[in-house]
Amino acid sequence: MASGGGYGDASQKVDYVFKVVLIGDSAVGKSQILSRFARNEFTLDSKATIGVEFQTRTMVIQHKTVKAQIWDTAGQERYRAVTSAYYRGAVGAMLVYDITKRQTFDHIPRWLEELRGHADKNIVIILIGNKSDLEDQRAVPTEDAKEFAQQEGLFFLETSALQATNVEEAFLTVLTEIFNIVNKKTLVAGGEDEQANGGGNTASLTGKKIVVPGPGQVIPEKRVCCSS
Amino acid sequence: MAADPTDASMPDACSGFSSLYRNLRGLKWRIDLGILPSSASIDDLRRATADSRRRYASSRRKLLIDPRLAKDGINSADLTMDNPLSQNPGSMWGQFFRNAELERTLDQDLMRLYPERGSYFQTSGCQGMLRRILLLWCLGHVDFGYRQGMHELLAPLLYVLQTDVERLFEVRKAYEDHFADEFENDPTYKFDLKKFGNSCATPGSDPEILQMMVSLTDAYGAEGELGVVLSDKFMEHDAYSMFDALLSGSGGPVSMTELFDPSPSIKACGAIYRLLSVADASLYGHLVELGIEPQYFGLRWLRVLFGREFDLEDLLIIWDEIFSHQNVSFYRAAAIVEEGEEEEEEEEGISGSPRGLFICFFAVSMILNLRSQLLSTEIPTAALQRLLNYPSSDIKIERLLEKAKSMMAAATSQLRSGGSASEGTTPVKVVAAAAGVSYWEEKWREKQKEKENTTMRSMKGWSQRVLRLQLSRTISDPSPSRTDDERVGIREPSVRRSLLKDLEQQLDDDEE
């Protein structure tokens, strides 16, 4: 149950902590994507998320150690009591829908609106069509989602948490992008220094120590990719 | 009926609950949740049972419409309005489609309900009952609707009713003769459920208990079959009334619906921290320092009443304890809050009744249980992960409950013996936290202590304490009667209001 769970060493030196939030309709597989990424697990008997949950996983990007702190919340979040706390300090967001349920895709603009209303405006966003293993039940054509992502300047991938398809890639896309943006900017406080201070804040819940991408950042348009 | 010598004097004589009591948990909960009267004749019990079932049946008839089955010439006379393509939202078909949509949402969560106990919860019979109950509740509370987590509040209720019925079958099988036609049952038989709870008898071994069981299953009494208190035919009806009482709170400060709304739920989480700060200031300070807001973990704990943190069997024991505390406002019980003073009551929040206070103390007990682990880490994510992945496997649930109960007892005894509240800071704080007073009031109280005996202000502070003391006395009375309430309620509500205003004013002055 420790962070990373054998999937990264918890005690290792951390250069960056990136907070990423998962959002999307109920039952699209947000928690499954998270558990696939953080623990390489898929539970057939998962339950609806209540309140918030989170997992961490440490990975190496361009020889730097990055700790991803992924927050997950209930899909039915019109009643979120933790909106501001949830988005506070988030530098990445994964917008998830279910490729077999059209409605979950149709709701994506609403989620995007909420994201833009509450999160930092330079947050890196990836659109994710989950359950790509259920090709025979597909209700959202890849092209539709790709087009939408291009319009909105989002990354896009289709994933299958069940088959572990593209989950790693999706997170890496977001984290690498954040990493590149952060790296381009001059860091206010070097990652190593933080660690030298005893690591007290290396995993701050609000991600305050993270340099948020500046206003000049442009989300690359051509980095859109898809699985099929 | 003669007084029972085991009554109250030796409640734990047979290691906690008696087997019978444990076996009929659903019955106990129906009483605790206020659906059945706690002390009544069997006929009264039957009537209360039948009434609640009738209410459910009638709303089910009214709200769960299947237009395809509508009686000719009654509902579907106007085909221009009631047809499947009608755009009129008020049409029977419009309603039908809305219900279908809601049902899909419910199914999404019900499919994921207690997968580890799928052999019961995932059966079509159980799923159907849960779906209908939730659907009906949501249709009856359109403004509120369905919130994720409600299904997990409902599931244990149905489960305990099912368990009751199964136990009953066992007993019936073992003592068949007793359950044969019981025309000779004494209709004036008085139920003493305290005795019921404290008896050490195994089902059937005590003739009196057996007689109770027989009465509770007898279909020949008042209301006939609809009045059979323990009945497998009306589990859905009974579960609904329990669920509704739990969600609405039946007028008490703890209504689970509130915990699904942002503002009250965050306030409730704040109450947990307030009590923690009294119980263990250093742990509280540590968590605050790490930036761990109580709602990060508290929302889930409270919304499903700890259902996610414990295994079902343990959860039932926790709920036994929670429900056994009354959900009656400390103030209302003392008739201090009159009609039209709703805002006052709202301010008390979750810790405004013994039940709510116990829920908060239990949460505090859970945090305290992780004390050393939490204090040993300086990494916020690590600490939060401990709180979010509550270790339920290696935990002694009894210890958590004991701790919560002892804190509860300390707080209420402080309330009871108002005099000792002036002896030190901690008791005062406990009283303040226990009564759910806000931070400024507590601060004011501390300041006040320095000037005691001299000013009018301290007199007011004292009178407030006495007020609370009286409140708690009323609460702690096992069966508060109307006359008690009236006696304590002699103080004018307006007096209390102006007192609070004075306090606020005072604090402002002091701070300037």
Side-chain angles (χ1 to χ4, degrees):
Chain A
M1 59 167 258
S3 64
Y7 222 33
D9 181 3
S11 65
Q12 74 195 103
K13 163 178 95 76
V14 174
D15 297 309
Y16 300 105
V17 179
F18 294 152
K19 175 172 170 180
V20 176
V21 292
L22 276 161
I23 50 175
D25 278 8
S26 180
V28 296
K30 295 181 294 299
S31 304
Q32 298 285 20
I33 289 176
L34 177 54
S35 82
R36 174 62 76 195
F37 174 68
R39 299 186 305 258
N40 199 17
E41 282 173 11
F42 183 92
T43 7
L44 281 169
D45 51 359
S46 77
K47 298 178 177 184
T49 306
I50 293 168
V52 294
E53 282 169 17
F54 84 111
Q55 298 284 345
T56 59
R57 186 177 146 192
T58 306
M59 45 204 321
V60 175
I61 300 176
Q62 294 169 27
H63 310 294
K64 295 279 183 188
T65 312
V66 172
K67 185 168 184 174
Q69 192 185 91
I70 324 283
W71 290 64
D72 178 22
T73 188
Q76 192 203 36
E77 274 307 320
R78 283 172 294 153
Y79 313 106
R80 182 180 295 138
V82 285
T83 310
S84 54
Y86 188 66
Y87 291 116
R88 198 183 304 140
V91 288
M94 313 190 94
L95 226 65
V96 189
Y97 67 92
D98 175 350
I99 67 152
T100 69
K101 292 208 179 84
R102 180 76 203 186
Q103 204 182 32
T104 65
F105 178 68
D106 294 339
H107 287 164
I108 289 291
R110 285 197 221 165
W111 285 107
L112 206 52
E113 199 179 314
E114 168 163 313
L115 199 54
R116 290 184 170 145
H118 290 94
D120 187 278
K121 61 180 186 302
N122 296 303
I123 191 166
V124 176
I125 307 168
I126 186 168
L127 179 67
I128 290 181
N130 192 36
K131 308 195 188 177
S132 64
D133 49 288
L134 300 174
E135 187 58 49
D136 54 332
Q137 295 170 42
R138 179 186 285 278
V140 183
T142 309
E143 283 309 312
D144 288 14
K146 206 192 270 185
E147 194 187 316
F148 178 83
Q150 253 156 0
Q151 270 171 21
E152 299 288 339
L154 318 172
F155 291 101
F156 169 63
L157 266 181
E158 284 189 351
T159 62
S160 163
L162 176 77
Q163 295 177 341
T165 314
N166 274 347
V167 173
E168 192 84 5
E169 288 79 354
F171 279 97
L172 265 177
T173 305
V174 172
L175 295 170
T176 309
E177 179 64 16
I178 299 168
F179 181 87
N180 288 336
I181 293 165
V182 172
N183 230 14
K184 256 185 267 169
K185 307 273 157 192
T186 317
L187 301 183
V188 174
E192 283 90 346
D193 292 347
E194 276 175 49
Q195 193 58 31
N197 289 341
N201 287 312
T202 52
S204 152
L205 290 173
T206 57
K208 268 180 202 142
K209 295 273 172 179
I210 298 161
V211 182
V212 174
Q217 180 231 335
V218 181
I219 303 211
E221 283 182 76
K222 286 292 156 215
R223 295 277 303 276
V224 173
C225 42
C226 56
S227 65
S228 51
Chain B
M1 210 173 79
D4 177 11
T6 62
D7 185 25
S9 55
M10 39 187 309
D12 295 322
C14 27
S15 66
F17 301 123
S18 80
S19 58
L20 185 60
Y21 184 72
R22 204 169 37 229
N23 289 344
L24 294 179
R25 179 176 258 145
L27 179 66
K28 177 73 166 61
W29 286 11
R30 281 156 79 190
I31 292 158
D32 286 345
L33 290 169
I35 291 133
L36 298 180
S38 60
S39 172
S41 71
I42 181 67
D43 278 352
D44 289 341
L45 275 180
R46 283 205 184 98
R47 255 187 288 277
T49 301
D51 283 345
S52 76
R53 289 171 182 169
R54 254 194 292 272
R55 274 195 296 277
Y56 177 73
S58 95
S59 72
R60 190 169 130 168
R61 256 197 308 278
K62 208 168 70 200
L63 293 168
L64 293 191
I65 338 144
D66 187 342
R68 291 164 298 193
L69 301 176
K71 297 262 187 321
D72 296 70
I74 299 174
N75 291 320
S76 52
D78 184 5
L79 279 175
T80 52
M81 182 168 143
D82 276 326
N83 67 72
L85 299 177
S86 169
Q87 295 292 306
N88 188 330
S91 80
M92 205 175 10
W93 281 95
Q95 180 67 40
F96 176 72
F97 288 128
R98 263 199 311 284
N99 291 5
E101 172 67 32
L102 179 56
E103 238 173 291
R104 267 195 296 277
T105 309
L106 296 174
D107 278 342
Q108 218 157 50
D109 285 350
L110 288 177
M111 269 165 45
R112 300 185 281 174
L113 175 75
Y114 281 109
E116 70 274 21
R117 284 174 184 268
S119 59
Y120 174 62
F121 289 112
Q122 293 300 324
T123 56
S124 67
C126 181
Q127 290 264 311
M129 281 195 272
L130 293 166
R131 187 185 307 113
R132 276 192 301 276
I133 293 170
L134 288 168
L135 195 58
L136 267 180
W137 192 89
C138 295
L139 293 175
H141 302 79
V142 188
D143 295 341
F144 197 81
Y146 171 73
R147 313 287 174 93
Q148 285 184 307
M150 279 184 182
H151 62 312
E152 291 185 26
L153 285 174
L154 169 62
L157 302 177
L158 191 60
Y159 181 78
V160 296
L161 291 173
Q162 174 73 42
T163 313
D164 272 14
V165 166
E166 275 166 24
R167 300 287 186 215
L168 184 69
F169 284 145
E170 282 169 30
V171 176
R172 181 175 283 178
K173 231 165 126 187
Y175 298 90
E176 230 165 316
D177 329 339
H178 293 79
F179 287 88
D181 287 345
E182 287 286 336
F183 288 106
E184 70 278 20
N185 262 353
D186 176 9
T188 60
Y189 184 81
K190 266 278 185 196
F191 266 82
D192 183 353
L193 286 147
K194 251 187 251 119
K195 166 170 173 58
F196 207 52
N198 292 324
S199 166
C200 299
T202 49
S205 72
D206 177 340
E208 207 173 344
I209 298 287
L210 195 60
Q211 150 117 47
M212 279 189 196
M213 297 273 294
V214 170
S215 306
L216 291 170
T217 54
D218 172 30
Y220 292 103
E223 304 282 2
E225 199 171 14
L226 194 62
V228 175
V229 182
L230 296 175
S231 164
D232 58 331
K233 290 188 183 134
F234 299 103
M235 269 191 296
E236 183 179 328
H237 303 60
D238 295 340
Y240 180 89
S241 52
M242 292 163 84
F243 180 64
D244 185 44
L246 179 59
L247 283 193
S248 74
S250 307
V254 185
S255 91
M256 295 308 295
T257 50
E258 283 207 344
L259 294 177
F260 287 95
D261 273 333
S263 167
S265 58
I266 288 193
K267 241 197 224 165
C269 293
I272 296 175
Y273 260 22
R274 204 172 57 225
L275 290 170
L276 177 68
S277 74
V278 177
D280 191 330
S282 56
L283 182 56
Y284 164 76
H286 181 69
L287 292 176
V288 169
E289 217 165 89
L290 292 182
I292 297 178
E293 296 179 29
Q295 65 263 31
Y296 289 161
F297 56 91
L299 278 181
R300 192 173 76 197
W301 289 10
L302 295 178
R303 277 189 184 164
V304 291
L305 278 178
F306 312 106
R308 274 296 165 89
E309 323 306 319
F310 300 93
D311 174 88
L312 185 61
E313 285 307 323
D314 281 344
L315 183 69
L316 300 183
I317 297 170
I318 297 167
W319 283 20
D320 279 340
E321 209 56 58
I322 290 174
F323 295 158
S324 71
H325 287 86
Q326 288 188 63
N327 185 27
V328 180
S329 157
F330 286 113
Y331 297 121
R332 174 152 292 184
I336 296 280
V337 177
E338 286 193 338
E339 278 171 46
E341 274 206 83
E342 296 304 320
E343 35 177 31
E344 283 263 10
E345 201 185 3
E346 230 172 86
E347 267 180 34
E348 305 173 281
I350 187 170
S351 52
S353 77
R355 184 176 299 165
L357 194 56
F358 183 79
I359 291 170
C360 291
F361 273 128
F362 186 74
V364 171
S365 171
M366 284 170 66
I367 302 174
L368 290 176
N369 184 63
L370 297 173
R371 186 173 199 275
S372 54
Q373 295 177 56
L374 292 172
L375 285 175
S376 69
T377 181
E378 291 297 326
I379 303 169
T381 45
L384 186 55
Q385 229 148 16
R386 299 247 154 78
L387 289 161
L388 280 175
N389 298 300
Y390 207 79
S392 55
S393 49
D394 57 339
I395 200 137
K396 283 266 181 293
I397 183 81
E398 292 78 14
R399 275 185 52 198
L400 288 177
L401 283 169
E402 272 322 304
K403 183 74 191 162
K405 278 194 260 187
S406 76
M407 287 188 287
M408 181 85 183
T412 47
S413 84
Q414 288 302 335
L415 281 159
R416 233 169 268 143
S417 57
S420 68
S422 57
E423 280 163 18
T425 341
T426 318
V428 177
K429 278 191 182 167
V430 171
V431 174
V437 295
S438 54
Y439 177 64
W440 61 262
E441 214 175 332
E442 191 185 323
K443 234 165 81 181
W444 179 87
R445 211 177 281 260
E446 281 168 10
K447 283 210 169 109
Q448 243 359 74
K449 276 174 45 66
E450 298 159 14
K451 310 175 193 167
E452 234 156 33
N453 310 330
T454 51
T455 60
M456 279 290 286
R457 278 176 270 160
S458 64
M459 295 263 295
K460 281 177 186 168
W462 181 83
S463 65
Q464 270 242 322
R465 268 200 301 266
V466 172
L467 206 60
R468 294 239 155 73
L469 167 142
Q470 287 171 322
L471 306 184
S472 69
R473 282 222 175 105
T474 320
I475 295 290
S476 59
D477 185 342
S479 56
S481 64
R482 284 223 167 267
T483 46
D484 278 351
D485 292 353
E486 279 156 17
R487 197 171 59 239
V488 183
I490 43 170
R491 229 167 270 271
E492 285 293 316
S494 56
V495 172
R496 182 170 174 271
R497 234 201 335 260
S498 62
L499 255 174
L500 288 168
K501 276 204 189 94
D502 282 356
L503 296 174
E504 205 161 22
Q505 185 68 49
Q506 219 75 64
L507 184 75
D508 289 347
D509 291 347
D510 283 352
E511 278 182 341
E512 271 160 19

